[in-house]
Amino acid sequence: IGTVNSCGGFAMGDKTQVRASVGQNAGMTLLEIMIGVIIFMVVLGATAQALISFYVAQHAQHQRLAVAENAKSILSEMRHVRDTNPDAFPEAITERWPDDAWVAGAGTEINETIRVEYADPDANPLEITLVSTWNDPQGRTLTLTISTLMTDR
């Protein structure tokens, strides 16, 4: 018949035929595929968790920004009252927003309330503190405090 040469083919007479050898490692075992799938699932799970954490942090930051904007709009209203009533400072402000009172309808977040506080309601400059509280989607109560000084000068 023929003899096997050093290339793994058969030598038949004067014609040499080389045949591709099929080794024992042709393909993957079920165990190798399962290990690859497990590694892929771990990486996919870690990526999903990172994306979820990012979304939660982004939403919390959006809430803080919205609450700060709500407080800023109240301070803008106070400045407008001060500017339209220059002879009645600080009474015009403290009458409209009494000390330690809740501002009705000022919040846009879940259960948001804004409370106005003054260090001394008769002082000039008037030290104003706005305390905003609201609930995040997990039901936790959060607080943001903004303080400023306002004067008629």
Side-chain angles (χ1 to χ4, degrees):
I1 300 186
T3 60
V4 176
N5 64 17
S6 63
C7 295
F10 285 97
M12 299 190 65
D14 59 347
K15 296 182 179 181
T16 303
Q17 293 180 345
V18 178
R19 177 174 59 177
S21 67
V22 177
Q24 295 177 356
N25 294 329
M28 298 176 68
T29 65
L30 181 60
L31 181 62
E32 291 170 329
I33 292 173
M34 288 177 60
I35 290 172
V37 167
I38 289 171
I39 291 170
F40 173 74
M41 294 300 287
V42 167
V43 169
L44 183 65
T47 303
Q49 184 61 38
L51 288 174
I52 290 169
S53 296
F54 171 75
Y55 172 74
V56 168
Q58 182 183 23
H59 184 71
Q61 184 63 28
H62 173 74
Q63 280 187 321
R64 280 191 288 279
L65 180 62
V67 168
E69 287 295 322
N70 294 339
K72 188 176 162 183
S73 69
I74 292 172
L75 290 173
S76 293
E77 285 181 52
M78 288 180 170
R79 287 185 188 97
H80 178 71
V81 168
R82 175 200 60 194
D83 294 342
T84 56
N85 301 295
D87 296 332
F89 183 82
E91 295 80 23
I93 293 173
T94 57
E95 285 176 11
R96 178 154 179 205
W97 295 278
D99 189 22
D100 204 32
W102 300 100
V103 179
T108 58
E109 294 302 315
I110 301 170
N111 296 328
E112 183 182 357
T113 57
I114 300 176
R115 189 177 72 241
V116 179
E117 299 173 353
Y118 306 108
D120 180 3
D122 299 320
N124 188 4
L126 183 62
E127 183 179 347
I128 304 167
T129 302
L130 300 177
V131 180
S132 299
T133 58
W134 73 98
N135 291 16
D136 67 0
Q138 288 80 26
R140 296 176 294 206
T141 301
L142 304 173
T143 302
L144 174 77
T145 303
I146 298 177
S147 295
T148 190
L149 294 174
M150 190 176 297
T151 183
D152 63 347
R153 300 180 199 134

